[in-house]
Amino acid sequence: SAVTIVVATPATQVQVPNVVGQREDQAVSALQERGLVPNIVYVDANPPDDKRVLSQNPSGGSTVEPGTSVTIEVGRQSSGGG
């Protein structure tokens, strides 16, 4: 009789939390707790949206491997000088 052996990959996948609308520090903590790497991109927001996350990629609910970089766009006041 045939024997089927299923080998599980060591890296179990994790679900990306939805951090849109959260404060920057809360979002970073939520991502790090899942083993994900936050990549913060600051974008000009007018008015500045209190350091809140405006968007993320990959989106919340996506399934990725631990160590995946998650880009979050955080609103901040535009600096007058470039």
Side-chain angles (χ1 to χ4, degrees):
S1 61
V3 176
T4 303
I5 298 175
V6 177
V7 179
T9 55
T12 58
Q13 296 209 317
V14 295
Q15 193 173 29
V16 179
N18 182 11
V19 297
V20 174
Q22 294 186 14
R23 290 181 57 85
E24 177 185 351
D25 53 352
Q26 294 172 327
V28 167
S29 295
L31 294 171
Q32 289 176 338
E33 284 172 7
R34 305 274 180 119
L36 302 171
V37 180
N39 176 33
I40 303 169
V41 177
Y42 293 100
V43 296
D44 291 343
N46 191 21
D49 202 1
D50 194 28
K51 295 238 177 185
R52 292 195 183 275
V53 178
L54 305 175
S55 69
Q56 71 180 83
N57 183 32
S59 59
S62 301
T63 305
V64 298
E65 291 183 6
T68 298
S69 177
V70 178
T71 300
I72 58 175
E73 286 191 346
V74 176
R76 70 171 178 185
Q77 189 169 7
S78 60
S79 52

